[in-house]
Amino acid sequence: MAEEAKLVYAFVKRKISVLCEARNEAASRAELAKLRRGIGKPPGSMSELWGITLEGMPKELSGGKEPSAGEWAAYTALTLFALHQQGKDLKRECMSKEGVSLGAAVRTLIKSEDEEARVKRRFDAAATASSIEEFTTHLRGLVQLLKAEGAVLDYPALAQDIFSFQNPAYRDSVRLNWGREFYKRAKRETGEDTETK
């Protein structure tokens, strides 16, 4: 499981690098537009996305009749990255930034107590989802909030989290890490010591 999660991370990182570092920016923007059309649809349902979401995927991540956890993770991360990147310059303002977990990214949205309750409610809805379809729907709403604020997110790490989230044995661990990052960030903002005493 851990090795497959690393493969998902590497696959999504490579795909985003290709998009952000391409010489032909118009072609990359066209790929992103295609990816946005795939939001909310299952992996494999749109043939125009097979190349970017499936080409080069390690065989360990491939599914059978239904999309595998790896295919769901990569597809969801790439389509949401395309949504987040919309209207931004790929080279100068890539919205995927290493080290910014979902919990930390969502925390950046909070500027007041009123916002905290609203954002936390949406974050909780994603974290407590019971199916991949429900989870990706709530995740899309969070990405739209991040996009509106210009906040970045580590999409390869998100893909890894989505992969692990689909396995009930790892789901609570993923949730715990998101919560830690969300509240660790809050302590930093208030100047409290984040070290365990």
Side-chain angles (χ1 to χ4, degrees):
M1 177 76 179
E3 286 305 311
E4 290 173 329
K6 288 178 186 173
L7 291 174
V8 168
Y9 179 95
F11 177 77
V12 170
K13 184 174 184 175
R14 187 172 58 251
K15 291 291 185 172
I16 289 175
S17 291
V18 167
L19 287 167
C20 289
E21 297 167 12
R23 289 184 184 170
N24 186 343
E25 193 172 329
S28 288
R29 283 196 307 272
E31 288 290 307
L32 290 170
K34 286 182 198 173
L35 282 166
R36 284 191 295 275
R37 288 193 294 275
I39 293 172
K41 297 181 173 104
S45 64
M46 295 179 64
S47 60
E48 65 190 85
L49 299 183
W50 293 347
I52 192 160
T53 62
L54 297 173
E55 184 179 13
M57 182 170 283
K59 65 181 179 200
E60 298 89 338
L61 300 177
S62 295
K65 290 182 180 180
E66 297 296 322
S68 70
E71 290 166 338
W72 265 110
Y75 181 88
T76 301
L78 290 169
T79 56
L80 291 177
F81 168 73
L83 172 65
H84 199 163
Q85 191 64 45
Q86 187 176 21
K88 309 276 189 209
D89 184 279
L90 279 163
K91 293 193 185 324
R92 289 182 301 197
E93 202 174 2
C94 182
M95 299 313 290
S96 182
K97 182 171 175 160
E98 190 172 346
V100 182
S101 71
L102 183 61
V106 170
R107 185 68 203 181
T108 66
L109 298 173
I110 298 170
K111 310 283 190 274
S112 70
E113 283 185 33
D114 290 342
E115 284 181 332
E116 182 165 4
R118 181 179 57 86
V119 170
K120 180 77 168 57
R121 193 169 40 252
R122 293 183 81 164
F123 190 36
D124 289 348
T128 59
S130 57
S131 71
I132 186 64
E133 295 85 0
E134 180 187 1
F135 177 62
T136 58
T137 297
H138 291 299
L139 200 52
R140 178 184 185 178
L142 289 172
V143 167
Q144 288 171 322
L145 292 176
L146 294 171
K147 177 184 176 187
E149 290 296 319
V152 295
L153 175 62
D154 187 335
Y155 277 90
L158 178 65
Q160 195 170 12
D161 285 347
I162 294 167
F163 177 79
S164 298
F165 190 86
Q166 292 173 79
N167 184 326
Y170 293 94
R171 191 170 294 154
D172 284 343
S173 175
V174 172
R175 289 173 175 149
L176 178 61
N177 285 331
W178 288 339
R180 284 176 178 154
E181 287 299 314
F182 183 84
Y183 284 104
K184 181 168 46 171
R185 187 82 175 203
K187 284 184 178 181
R188 279 190 217 132
E189 288 168 1
T190 60
E192 292 179 29
D193 185 7
T194 59
E195 296 298 314
T196 306
K197 298 191 180 188

